[in-house]
Amino acid sequence: MSIEATLTAKGITLPDAPAPAANYVPFVRSGNLVFVSGQISADENGLIRGRLGEGMSVDEGVAAARRCGLSLIAQLKAAVGDLDRVARVVKLTGFVNSTGDFIDQPKVINGCSDLMVEVFGEAGRHARAAVSAPSLPLGVAVEIEAVFEIAG
């Protein structure tokens, strides 16, 4: 089954690839790798703001990370056109806006990691970092960047 068919079958709709918010490009292709700039948590209602450990639940953080994942895939599609060209999700680096005593960053970033496996199957399994940040741009809850390998 194609990636587009998988998305449709699972009821997953990709957002439009977000425009950069500062002086950078949304993705860079180098050889067979595509580096996608950090995507911040946003949905159809706007930015998903909040701080884990301070009024935002782990489940809300997981949902915010999943939205980052959808934007990563949208940027990847803008970069390569055909998502069936994805050979592997190589690495995710996730940043969680959280208090100093919050320790569930890996659970939050699983929202994105689980999406990658759901969409790309075994090729969606990846290396990863999940770290805390005392604040993130525009007050968002989560930001995630990614590296993808493209076939051909």
Side-chain angles (χ1 to χ4, degrees), residues 24-82:
Y24 64 90
V25 294
F27 54 81
V28 170
R29 184 162 180 189
S30 180
N32 64 340
L33 296 178
V34 176
F35 297 80
V36 179
S37 295
Q39 300 297 297
I40 59 177
S41 52
D43 61 16
E44 57 280 346
N45 298 313
L47 297 175
I48 301 171
R49 293 184 167 111
R51 195 163 192 224
L52 281 291
E54 186 179 272
M56 186 172 214
S57 72
V58 170
D59 286 343
E60 289 171 315
V62 168
R66 182 178 175 90
R67 294 300 305 196
C68 291
L70 292 171
S71 291
L72 287 167
I73 296 169
Q75 291 290 7
L76 180 62
K77 184 175 180 179
V80 301
D82 181 2

Side-chain angles (χ1 to χ4, degrees), residues 5-138:
T6 298
L7 291 170
T8 300
K10 295 182 177 288
I12 298 172
T13 303
L14 296 178
D16 292 334
N23 186 17
Y24 64 90
V25 294
F27 54 81
V28 170
R29 184 162 180 189
S30 180
N32 64 340
L33 296 178
V34 176
F35 297 80
V36 179
S37 295
Q39 300 297 297
I40 59 177
S41 52
D43 61 16
E44 57 280 346
N45 298 313
L47 297 175
I48 301 171
R49 293 184 167 111
R51 195 163 192 224
L52 281 291
E54 186 179 272
M56 186 172 214
S57 72
V58 170
D59 286 343
E60 289 171 315
V62 168
R66 182 178 175 90
R67 294 300 305 196
C68 291
L70 292 171
S71 291
L72 287 167
I73 296 169
Q75 291 290 7
L76 180 62
K77 184 175 180 179
V80 301
D82 181 2
L83 291 173
D84 289 326
R85 296 183 60 210
V86 176
R88 176 130 205 150
V89 179
V90 177
K91 181 159 190 219
L92 299 179
T93 303
F95 303 92
V96 180
N97 185 352
S98 57
T99 61
D101 61 348
F102 184 78
I103 60 170
D104 287 327
Q105 292 84 359
K107 288 181 184 175
V108 170
I109 300 304
N110 276 347
C112 183
S113 291
D114 293 347
L115 175 68
M116 294 302 160
V117 174
E118 182 181 354
V119 171
F120 297 108
E122 283 302 308
R125 297 197 181 281
H126 51 271
R128 186 181 89 175
V131 299
S132 181
S135 68
L136 288 174
L138 306 173

